[in-house]
């Protein structure tokens, strides 16, 4: 295919901030994105990820900081002058235009020659596998097909950067899985950088080369999916990356290993960050806790939900600590189960949560 993202070396966000009155929606975000990278901005609602994307697109002005594409400062440019492609959550297709006309819209605004527009639209349709649907109106397509049209419209202008704002949130579970694979495939075909906003950690893990975890307008951690999944650097990141079990403990450290005690239960864990002995938080994934006859933790099961090939269980210790864990078989409400976890999977962070 001839469509390819415009060549560049890197996009740099330098102290990017955005205020809404007295509210600091973005606080000094600094990040470098290389050509060909797929970056996911991950965080809960209100963390600033969509604000960051809109600042990149030029839909919001910066309160301070700057944005650079190689040696060109672009935060002072109008949205259309930046040349980025954008895929919105609600697709934003023109309902009265055919698929072909929707895709051609950006090229026509650039006053490209008609023959070039037709050729580029054909190429974009082929990339998103909709070559037979060009004559239809958006309303005649499925949700997944409409999303492909939105992607085709974004990439047909051959942008250096494609911005995606939770593009799969309106699709059902099956289509979301299919479109994840399609989005990654299309990203690799055109070779531009992609910045993708999501609140879904599974989506971020499966798509991104690097994940930027945000909270309250700040970047908490940047790393590969493997880094963030296995070793989140902060307890706030751990919580968002699926470490649902977080126990307040008293910790004693010996090298990288930690002895963590809570309510008469002692766990062996792994220190993630420097800390002095005392109050700490032990974070454990539900997947990493398993039933063991001699396990150090005893819980009374309060619920057990069937998830196909496993049961997702919730229990409580005698001291009231809540724990989520998986089981290969159904466990009845009120049953007592002993649990254990590999010390390498029990991550211990300094301090205590507010």
């Amino acid at each position: 295919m001839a469509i390819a993202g415009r060549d560049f070396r890197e996009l740099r966000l330098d102290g990017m901030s955005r205020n809404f009155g007295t509210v600091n929606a973005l606080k000094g975000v600094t990040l470098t994105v290389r050509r060909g990278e797929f970056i996911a901005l991950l965080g809960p609602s209100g963390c600033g990820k969509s604000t960051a994307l809109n600042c990149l697109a030029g839909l919001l002005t910066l309160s301070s900081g700057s944005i650079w594409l190689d040696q060109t400062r672009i935060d002072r440019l109008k949205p259309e002058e930046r040349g980025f492609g954008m895929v919105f959550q609600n697709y934003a297709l023109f309902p009265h235009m055919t698929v072909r006309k929707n895709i051609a819209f950006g090229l026509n605004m650039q006053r490209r020659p008609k023959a070039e527009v037709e050729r580029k639209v054909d190429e974009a349709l082929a990339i998103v596998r909709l070559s037979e649907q060009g004559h239809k109106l958006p309303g005649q397509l499925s949700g997944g097909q409409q999303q492909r049209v939105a992607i085709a419209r974004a990439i047909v202008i051959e942008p250096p950067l494609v911005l995606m704002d939770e593009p799969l949130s309106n699709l059902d579970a099956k289509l979301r899985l299919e479109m994840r694979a399609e989005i990654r495939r299309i990203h690799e075909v055109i070779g531009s950088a992609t910045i993708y906003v999501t609140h879904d950690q599974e989506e971020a893990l499966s798509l991104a080369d690097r994940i930027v975890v945000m909270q309250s307008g700040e970047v908490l951690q940047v790393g590969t999916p493997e880094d963030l999944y296995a070793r989140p650097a902060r307890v706030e990141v751990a919580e968002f990356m699926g470490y649902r079990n977080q126990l307040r403990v008293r910790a004693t450290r010996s090298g990288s290993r930690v002895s963590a005690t809570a309510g008469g239960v002692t766990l062996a864990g792994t220190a993630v960050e420097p800390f002095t002995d005392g109050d700490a938080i032990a974070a454990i994934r539900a997947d990493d806790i398993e039933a063991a006859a001699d396990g150090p933790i005893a819980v009374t099961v309060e619920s057990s939900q069937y998830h196909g090939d496993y049961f997702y269980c919730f229990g409580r210790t005698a001291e009231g600590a809540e724990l989520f864990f998986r089981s290969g078989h159904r466990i009845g409400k009120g049953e007592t189960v002993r649990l254990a976890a590999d010390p390498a999977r029990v991550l211990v962070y300094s301090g205590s949560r507010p």
Side-chain angles (χ1 to χ4, degrees), residues 6-290:
R6 195 171 81 234
D7 194 24
F8 74 102
R9 188 169 60 85
E10 63 181 25
L11 172 81
R12 299 191 314 282
L13 316 182
D14 186 5
M16 186 171 73
S17 299
R18 169 69 193 195
N19 303 328
F20 294 97
T22 59
V23 177
N24 304 122
L26 282 182
K27 304 172 186 175
V29 173
T30 296
L31 179 70
T32 298
V33 179
R34 297 177 291 275
R35 187 180 191 275
E37 268 199 303
F38 196 117
I39 301 293
L41 302 184
L42 177 66
S45 296
C47 73
K49 55 189 187 296
S50 290
T51 299
L53 204 75
N54 287 328
C55 288
L56 275 169
L59 303 178
L60 289 174
T61 57
L62 299 186
S63 299
S64 61
S66 56
I67 306 171
W68 298 79
L69 192 65
D70 291 334
Q71 303 306 313
T72 302
R73 183 170 180 177
I74 64 170
D75 56 279
R76 297 167 177 167
L77 301 180
K78 297 177 181 177
E80 63 272 19
E81 294 172 334
R82 301 185 189 195
F84 297 162
M86 188 149 187
V87 181
F88 297 93
Q89 182 176 347
N90 62 357
Y91 316 143
L93 301 177
F94 299 110
H96 62 289
M97 290 185 180
T98 65
V99 167
R100 291 191 67 89
K101 288 182 179 178
N102 265 281
I103 296 172
F105 183 79
L107 295 173
N108 288 329
M109 291 295 290
Q110 294 175 353
R111 301 186 183 279
R112 302 280 189 95
K114 183 177 179 179
E116 180 186 349
V117 171
E118 291 299 311
R119 177 174 58 82
K120 293 290 187 186
V121 170
D122 286 341
E123 292 168 0
L125 281 168
I127 288 174
V128 300
R129 299 174 178 171
L130 288 177
S131 293
E132 306 303 317
Q133 311 297 328
H135 64 287
K136 293 183 178 179
L137 295 172
Q140 296 174 295
L141 303 178
S142 69
Q145 289 174 323
Q146 290 182 46
Q147 190 58 275
R148 291 175 193 233
V149 175
I151 293 170
R153 184 179 59 187
I155 66 173
V156 76
I157 60 172
E158 300 184 293
L161 186 69
V162 177
L163 308 173
M164 296 191 174
D165 192 3
E166 304 212 39
L168 306 184
S169 59
N170 292 332
L171 303 180
D172 62 37
K174 180 175 180 294
L175 274 177
R176 281 202 302 273
L177 286 174
E178 292 175 358
M179 284 305 301
R180 272 190 219 165
E182 281 297 284
I183 286 172
R184 183 69 208 198
R185 179 187 64 81
I186 292 165
H187 165 81
E188 291 173 355
V189 166
I190 66 173
S192 61
T194 299
I195 297 183
Y196 185 102
V197 162
T198 182
H199 64 274
D200 186 326
Q201 58 141 317
E202 186 178 332
E203 218 169 78
L205 289 169
S206 64
L207 282 170
D209 298 312
R210 286 191 296 154
I211 299 172
V212 179
V213 180
M214 298 184 66
Q215 185 182 73
S216 302
E218 296 181 294
V219 173
L220 297 184
Q221 186 176 353
V222 181
T224 66
E226 294 85 353
D227 289 340
L228 268 70
Y229 184 87
R231 203 168 179 83
R234 297 169 57 167
V235 69
E236 297 90 348
V237 178
E239 183 172 16
F240 201 75
M241 294 305 296
Y243 287 78
R244 195 169 182 184
N245 298 305
Q246 297 198 3
L247 305 175
R248 291 183 177 91
V249 298
R250 295 288 294 177
T252 303
R253 180 168 176 168
S254 176
S256 63
R257 283 286 185 254
V258 176
S259 177
T261 303
V265 173
T266 299
L267 288 171
T270 301
V272 176
E273 57 188 354
F275 66 88
T276 56
D277 293 353
D279 290 339
I281 300 168
I284 321 166
R285 290 181 179 277
D287 299 7
D288 295 330
I289 302 180
E290 58 185 14

